[in-house]
Amino acid sequence: MTDWVQIQTGPNAPFLAIGRWEVRLVPHGWVYVPDFGLRKAEEGVVPSNVAVNQDMLLCGDKLALYIDAQMTLMRNTFQEPLIAGPRPAEFAGADEAVLLMVKHGTLNGYTVVQVQNYVRCGTWIGIITLTTLERELLNVRQDFERFSKALAIQPPEAEPPQEQQDGAIR
């Protein structure tokens, strides 16, 4: 089997989208989940997944404060998380990109790893998060990187025309 790859281009080409993210590749062995991202399609194992999200900066134009807030949430949510990063990364079309890795235990005794890419375009933030068991990381990391590199950031939707008090649309 092969990967699913977006081959049509142009303004009228159909595509998979999650917010401003355009999904252009689904690696073989993974399933696209609308409004979420990807899930590894394997029987009998805890499935790895890739969540594709977005957010907005509330102030400023740098990821640093946003990342600091995310790391505080992780420290308060996970039991003894090990956090590597943040470190600068590259992402096509982004003003800024950062990579963060988190390793933490679960109630079932498994060790979970999250690889998080944060990208910023203006005040928009895109977040791509791989969540997998530590023992599966080497098996899924290459697919995650290929998927992430194939994602495209779409321009923001145009603001709808504003109706003025005189009833005219401008």
Side-chain angles (χ1 to χ4, degrees), residues 33-100:
V33 180
D35 299 321
F36 176 77
L38 301 179
R39 181 179 45 81
K40 184 81 168 141
E42 282 187 302
E43 296 286 327
V45 297
V46 176
S48 300
N49 66 66
V50 179
V52 180
N53 296 298
Q54 59 186 15
D55 204 351
M56 297 297 287
L57 285 176
L58 297 178
C59 63
D61 64 349
K62 301 288 181 208
L63 278 174
L65 291 175
Y66 186 88
I67 299 295
D68 288 344
Q70 295 300 309
M71 289 174 30
T72 298
L73 284 170
M74 290 173 208
R75 288 185 185 103
N76 292 331
T77 302
F78 302 128
Q79 187 175 9
E80 300 178 24
L82 298 174
I83 301 173
R87 70 174 175 90
E90 291 188 20
F91 195 92
D95 297 326
E96 182 180 16
V98 172
L99 175 67
L100 190 68

